[in-house]
């Protein structure tokens, strides 16, 4: 396959813009599929997972390819929903070009801004397709204006709609200056509508100006002659797109199959091939800068942008070939994990199907089955020419739930199943809380967590219930108590038990933990019993007197006691120490402590007041604010109990425009009225 004839791209949009439907239409119009797949009917060959068909949204990146005008086009169809942004970012990292699918009824929502940020981060050449122009209250010119304003791009129309709303019938191709009407996906050339002639001339002139601006020679000719040839326009536009100076905008309606062929022409003629995109930057295993040219004779290198655990085929690693030629079988080095991977098969993904492949060249997406160590984000390369392409930083988890297996069988299988799910989705965070013994699952949002739980049940037969994680409260004391004495004496025939301990108990500054001090004088207590006394106190620390939470920030001074030659033992002193501590702490004004989290919240200026008001309502404190790229960053401290579902609440307040990071800060005393509720709940649980 000639690399100059390869195009690869990632389709990006907000949820509901028709991105997957456009991909299905391109496959159908190009003759790759015999029937048009439809998301709403559940017949899409790209959204094939049950969780996707249920919700009618893309959850996992799909790959496919087709031929158009002697070119091979490979594309990735990642999710449009915020909850699955990690998949989208990895797909954007793997691609050479981006195609923004814009919903004419609501051109730019928050999610469009977020995915376009990935385009800018990776420096991808980008085109746009304005969809749904057959709907009510849609306007192509207005949609272009919104794109320019919200995404801060130069939107350059390369097509213009014929008819508006329900009367949309075709488009004018500004490159060929031909008008097309569409019927059932077939196009025919028609006369240019007279009412559009003036508008088309104006847009055509703009197009030539943009082409001329991209090249000094073309600009000079344009200024002298006022015109460029078709070849010169293509040359200038290609250069401008490659350098990110502007975004060519096509249009139509996926539902009516209007504008698909001109869009495919745009992809082939104006988006760069892997060769035109040039080398990909990486680094050596030692950390020195390195790069690879997209040449079939260069040393092989590729990135793994997705992992899929197939119940029959096992682990499938989806790869983007960066350089060299990947043969059907061989050995590759994984320089990140310092292991060699043998493989004996190669395929090109076509939705959920796989097409066998003899070799893959730069720009292609392919699948390598049964790699044992390689994970998503890894680089594979020639063992003799190692290189690493660093994996991008993925969006961080913002919502955490505790998982409770429903049966003993579920409990036995859950560990291995979660590991496999995490391999498929590296944005999932799985941990175990040692204190509560809960399994914790963290994700990018409610739908992300729910879809993961559904997949856990469907693929691995593990059923779980969700709950908010238990809050790790602590207990401590506010005042000291000296001279606490406890005698443990037990006589039941034979050898008895005897131990007496004398304690002073003091509060410590917050965060100091526990301190045990022995200041015995004389020989009332043999020193060999001291470790048993400390052990007894430490055991008593595990469950405080108020609600059974661990006791912290306490100092115990063991200053005296009594023993018996025969009846004293380590066990007797452990019991005495434990009971003495429990007795004394009751008189030290015990209180509950709660974890306080530090939040860094990034929000638009217009909702800052609402967010601050909400923080105050959550018993939080705003520590400060600072502007950042047209937004405000709010620093605050809020009790964990008030922000366990903050991701959902912040989304509601900001319309999805707010983001936040949260980390543990310190412990503080729980207000009395709230402490009473916590203690009552703890007593209820004990019953």
């Amino acid at each position: 396959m000639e690399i100059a004839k390869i195009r690869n791209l990632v389709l990006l949009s907000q949820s509901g813009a028709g991105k997957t439907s456009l991909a299905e239409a391109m496959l159908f119009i190009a003759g790759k599929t015999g029937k048009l797949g439809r998301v709403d009917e559940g017949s899409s060959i790209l959204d094939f997972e049950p969780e996707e068909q249920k919700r009618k949204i893309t959850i996992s990146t799909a790959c496919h390819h087709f031929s158009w005008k002697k070119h091979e086009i490979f594309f990735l169809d990642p999710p449009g929903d915020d909850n699955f942004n990690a998949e989208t970012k990895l797909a954007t990292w793997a691609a050479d070009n981006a195609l923004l699918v814009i919903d004419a009824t609501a051109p730019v929502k928050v999610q469009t801004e977020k995915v376009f940020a990935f385009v800018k981060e990776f420096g991808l050449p980008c085109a746009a397709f304005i969809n749904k122009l057959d709907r009510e209250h849609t306007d192509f010119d207005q949609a272009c204006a919104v794109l320019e304003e919200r995404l801060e791009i130069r939107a350059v129309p390369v097509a213009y709609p014929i008819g508006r709303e329900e009367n949309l019938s075709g488009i004018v191709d500004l490159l060929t200056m031909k008008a097309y009407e569409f019927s059932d996906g077939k196009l025919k050339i028609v006369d240019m509508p007279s009412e559009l002639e003036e508008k088309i001339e104006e847009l055509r002139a703009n197009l030539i100006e943009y082409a001329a601006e991209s090249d000094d020679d073309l600009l000079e000719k344009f200024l002298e002659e006022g015109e460029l040839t078709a070849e010169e326009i293509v040359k200038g536009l290609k250069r401008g797109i490659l350098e990110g100076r502007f975004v060519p905008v096509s249009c139509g309606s996926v539902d009516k199959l209007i504008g698909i062929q001109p869009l495919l022409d745009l992809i082939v003629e104006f988006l760069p091939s892997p060769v035109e995109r040039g080398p990909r930057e990486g680094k050596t295993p030692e950390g020195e800068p390195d790069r690879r040219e997209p040449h079939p004779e260069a040393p092989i290198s590729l990135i793994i942008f997705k992992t899929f655990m197939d119940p029959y085929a096992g682990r499938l690693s989806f790869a983007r070939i960066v350089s060299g030629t990947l043969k059907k079988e061989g050995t590759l080095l994984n320089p990140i994990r310092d292991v060699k991977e043998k493989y004996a098969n190669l395929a090109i993904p076509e939705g959920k199907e796989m097409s066998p492949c003899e070799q893959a060249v730069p720009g292609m997406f392919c699948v390598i089955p049964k790699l044992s160590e390689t994970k998503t984000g890894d680089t594979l390369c020639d063992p003799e020419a190692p290189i690493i392409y660093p994996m991008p930083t993925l969006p961080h988890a913002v919502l955490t739930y505790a998982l409770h297996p429903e049966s003993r069988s579920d409990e036995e299988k859950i560990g291995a199943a979660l590991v496999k799910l995490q391999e498929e989705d590296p944005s999932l965070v799985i941990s175990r809380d040692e204190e509560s013994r809960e399994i914790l699952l963290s994700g990018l949002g409610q739908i992300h967590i729910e879809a993961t739980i559904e997949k856990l049940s469907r693929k691995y037969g593990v059923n779980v219930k969700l709950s908010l994680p238990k809050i790790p409260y602590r207990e401590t004391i506010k005042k000291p108590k000296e001279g606490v004495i406890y005698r443990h004496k037990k006589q039941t025939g034979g050898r008895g038990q005897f131990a007496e301990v004398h304690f002073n108990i003091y509060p410590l500054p917050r965060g100091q933990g526990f301190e045990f001090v022995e200041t015995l004088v004389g020989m009332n207590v043999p020193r060999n019993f001291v470790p048993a006394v400390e052990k007894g106190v430490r055991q008593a620390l595990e469950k405080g007197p108020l609600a059974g939470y661990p006791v912290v920030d306490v100092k115990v001074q063991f200053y005296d006691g009594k023993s018996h030659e025969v009846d004293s033992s380590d066990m007797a002193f452990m019991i005495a120490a434990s009971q003495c501590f429990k007795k004394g702490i009751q008189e030290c004004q015990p209180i509950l402590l709660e974890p306080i989290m530090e939040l860094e919240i990034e929000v638009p200026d217009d909702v800052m007041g609402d967010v601050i008001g909400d923080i105050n309502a959550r018993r939080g404190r705003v520590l400060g604010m600072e502007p950042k790229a047209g937004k405000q960053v709010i620093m605050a401290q809020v009790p964990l109990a008030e922000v366990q579902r903050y991701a959902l609440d912040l989304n509601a307040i900001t319309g999805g425009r707010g983001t936040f990071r949260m980390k543990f800060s310190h412990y503080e005393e729980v207000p009395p009225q709230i402490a009473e509720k916590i203690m009552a709940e703890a007593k209820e649980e004990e019953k």
Side-chain angles (χ1 to χ4, degrees):
M1 194 179 293
E2 189 183 342
I3 299 175
K5 299 273 188 178
I6 291 176
R7 301 289 183 272
N8 79 53
L9 61 147
V10 58
L11 280 74
L12 299 172
S13 76
Q14 60 206 29
S15 197
K19 168 179 53 62
T20 300
S21 298
L22 174 61
E24 296 279 357
M26 292 194 298
L27 290 167
F28 177 68
I29 293 294
K32 186 70 178 183
T33 54
K35 183 184 175 187
L36 180 63
R38 295 191 181 274
V39 174
D40 290 342
E41 296 172 4
S43 61
S44 167
I45 62 170
L46 299 170
D47 284 355
F48 55 84
E49 293 263 62
E51 293 80 20
E52 296 177 313
Q53 292 174 345
K54 173 186 171 184
R55 290 181 169 80
K56 294 184 169 47
I57 61 170
T58 302
I59 288 175
S60 182
T61 300
C63 314
H64 218 306
H65 68 107
F66 58 89
S67 299
W68 186 255
K69 295 192 173 176
K70 298 181 180 177
H71 287 69
E72 199 66 24
I73 300 172
F74 293 83
F75 69 83
L76 301 176
D77 175 26
D81 191 284
D82 244 6
N83 281 264
F84 309 98
N85 254 353
E87 284 263 338
T88 307
K89 189 167 188 179
L90 286 166
T92 311
W93 173 58
D96 276 334
N97 302 285
L99 176 61
L100 280 180
V101 183
I102 303 300
D103 182 345
T105 65
V108 178
K109 290 184 179 176
V110 177
Q111 180 60 12
T112 313
E113 294 176 349
K114 289 182 178 179
V115 296
F116 190 68
F118 301 154
V119 175
K120 291 195 283 189
E121 181 179 341
F122 300 120
L124 298 193
C126 182
F129 179 80
I130 296 180
N131 185 27
K132 302 188 180 181
L133 283 170
D134 57 326
R135 304 287 177 90
E136 287 185 359
H137 311 301
T138 56
D139 183 289
F140 177 76
D141 296 315
Q142 179 64 26
C144 286
V146 172
L147 279 183
E148 293 210 326
E149 181 190 346
R150 293 284 296 276
L151 301 184
E152 298 179 347
I153 59 172
R154 292 170 80 180
V156 181
V158 293
Y160 199 79
I162 299 173
R164 292 188 61 171
E165 300 178 0
E166 63 181 17
N167 295 319
L168 179 76
S169 61
I171 67 160
V172 177
D173 187 330
L174 299 174
L175 300 167
T176 61
M177 289 301 283
K178 290 178 180 175
Y180 300 102
E181 281 194 349
F182 296 81
S183 177
D184 296 326
K186 295 181 173 60
L187 81 170
K188 65 175 181 177
I189 299 175
V190 295
D191 293 333
M192 183 86 67
S194 57
E195 69 272 15
L196 289 181
E197 285 179 1
E198 190 177 326
K199 181 70 177 179
I200 297 303
E201 285 299 327
E202 178 193 333
L203 291 175
R204 170 76 172 178
N206 288 344
L207 197 63
I208 296 171
E209 275 188 39
Y210 281 121
E213 283 177 18
S214 299
D215 187 287
D216 290 343
D217 293 339
L218 293 181
L219 183 59
E220 190 175 325
K221 181 184 177 185
F222 176 69
L223 292 174
E224 286 177 4
E225 301 177 16
E227 187 58 68
L228 297 176
T229 65
E231 291 77 16
E232 287 169 335
I233 293 172
V234 169
K235 179 186 173 186
L237 289 176
K238 279 195 83 163
R239 183 163 181 178
I241 295 165
L242 179 62
E243 293 174 355
R245 294 169 187 248
F246 52 79
V247 173
V249 182
S250 192
C251 62
S253 164
V254 172
D255 282 352
K256 290 188 172 181
L257 293 179
I258 292 175
I260 310 301
Q261 294 92 330
L263 174 64
L264 297 180
D265 290 344
L266 169 68
I267 290 169
V268 164
E269 289 177 28
F270 293 99
L271 293 185
S273 70
V275 175
E276 290 165 324
R277 277 283 281 150
R280 183 175 281 242
E281 303 295 327
K283 62 182 183 180
T284 66
E286 294 74 35
E288 296 298 318
D290 201 356
R291 66 201 316 204
R292 285 286 185 276
E293 296 286 344
H295 194 281
E297 302 302 322
I300 184 69
S301 69
L302 52 100
I303 55 176
I304 304 298
F305 63 89
K306 174 182 167 66
T307 303
F308 182 73
M309 306 301 286
D310 188 276
Y312 307 107
R315 180 190 283 132
L316 301 176
S317 299
F318 286 68
R320 151 64 201 271
I321 309 299
V322 176
S323 65
T325 302
L326 185 68
K327 304 295 184 186
K328 189 175 181 180
E329 57 183 54
T331 301
L332 296 167
L333 172 69
N334 183 329
I336 293 171
R337 306 189 189 281
D338 195 23
V339 293
K340 287 185 178 177
E341 291 272 29
K342 285 188 176 178
Y343 68 98
N345 219 327
L346 197 59
I348 295 179
E350 299 183 339
K352 67 178 176 181
E353 305 298 331
M354 299 289 160
S355 172
C357 173
E358 290 300 317
Q359 65 178 35
V361 296
M364 290 175 64
F365 300 125
C366 64
V367 172
I368 309 171
K370 298 182 179 176
L371 296 175
S372 57
E373 302 285 339
T374 298
K375 292 183 167 55
T376 300
D378 286 358
T379 301
L380 292 174
C381 58
D382 185 332
E384 301 303 316
I387 188 171
I388 295 171
Y389 303 108
M391 178 182 177
T393 303
L394 297 183
H396 59 281
V398 295
L399 190 61
T400 301
Y401 280 98
L403 307 186
H404 306 281
E406 291 188 2
S407 69
R408 176 60 64 88
S409 167
D410 295 325
E411 200 170 325
E412 289 169 355
K413 294 186 290 186
I414 192 169
L418 286 174
V419 167
K420 289 178 180 176
L421 283 179
Q422 199 173 28
E423 282 199 38
E424 285 192 324
D425 184 355
S427 65
L428 289 173
V429 179
I430 296 157
S431 59
R432 180 181 281 274
D433 187 313
E434 293 302 324
E435 184 181 319
S436 65
R437 307 207 171 171
E438 291 178 322
I439 299 169
L440 303 180
L441 176 68
S442 304
L444 303 182
Q446 188 73 23
I447 297 173
H448 187 204
I449 298 280
E450 288 174 4
T452 299
I453 297 309
E454 288 169 20
K455 199 181 287 188
L456 187 65
S457 174
R458 175 179 62 84
K459 290 185 80 168
Y460 304 106
V462 178
N463 297 304
V464 298
K465 289 178 180 172
L466 294 177
S467 73
L468 289 175
K470 290 179 180 173
I471 307 286
Y473 292 108
R474 296 288 182 263
E475 299 184 21
T476 191
I477 56 174
K478 291 188 82 169
K479 69 177 189 180
K481 174 68 177 175
E482 296 187 339
V484 184
I485 299 172
Y486 187 87
R487 174 180 289 188
H488 175 65
K489 186 177 181 182
K490 199 172 182 185
Q491 196 73 40
T492 53
R495 184 175 173 180
Q497 291 183 14
F498 180 86
E500 183 175 301
V501 292
H502 300 190
F503 288 168
N504 293 328
I505 303 174
Y506 304 103
L508 286 175
R510 196 74 67 241
Q512 294 289 306
F514 170 65
E515 190 180 333
F516 180 82
V517 182
E518 173 260 304
T519 56
L520 294 171
V521 292
M523 292 304 295
N524 284 346
V525 179
R527 301 303 185 269
N528 60 302
F529 289 130
V530 171
V533 172
E534 182 176 352
K535 188 175 181 182
V537 175
R538 287 189 180 276
Q539 283 183 352
L541 287 171
E542 292 174 7
K543 290 191 76 172
L546 299 177
Y549 290 102
V551 179
V552 296
D553 304 336
V554 171
K555 175 181 177 179
V556 172
Q557 181 186 13
F558 176 29
Y559 66 89
D560 201 0
K562 292 180 182 176
S563 63
H564 187 277
E565 286 181 8
V566 177
D567 292 347
S568 289
S569 64
D570 282 347
M571 180 58 71
F573 271 98
M574 271 177 61
I575 294 169
S578 178
Q579 295 301 321
C580 186
F581 180 78
K582 288 177 181 177
K583 173 187 172 186
I585 200 171
Q586 297 276 15
E587 302 176 47
C588 293
Q589 200 179 331
I591 57 168
L592 267 181
L593 299 176
E594 63 180 342
I596 305 297
M597 309 306 286
E598 192 173 289
L599 270 67
E600 184 179 303
I601 314 160
E602 193 172 306
V603 297
D605 290 333
D606 62 326
V607 293
M608 185 177 70
D610 294 336
V611 172
I612 289 174
D614 179 65
I615 290 168
N616 292 332
R618 294 171 189 268
R619 302 189 286 123
R621 288 192 300 272
V622 174
L623 304 179
M625 289 166 285
E626 59 182 56
K628 176 186 172 186
K631 294 187 176 183
Q632 290 289 335
V633 178
I634 303 168
M635 305 299 294
Q637 289 181 347
V638 190
L640 174 60
E642 303 287 345
V643 286
Q644 282 189 293
R645 291 165 63 88
Y646 191 60
L648 309 180
D649 300 329
L650 184 66
N651 263 352
I653 295 169
T654 65
R657 294 177 294 159
T659 59
F660 76 100
R661 289 181 177 274
M662 180 164 67
K663 65 179 180 181
F664 171 74
S665 176
H666 61 282
Y667 274 89
E668 279 183 15
E669 182 178 351
V670 180
Q673 69 275 19
I674 295 173
E676 284 173 16
K677 288 182 187 174
I678 296 166
M679 288 186 278
E681 286 169 7
K683 284 175 184 167
E684 196 63 37
E685 279 183 22
E686 281 183 6
K687 288 181 182 178

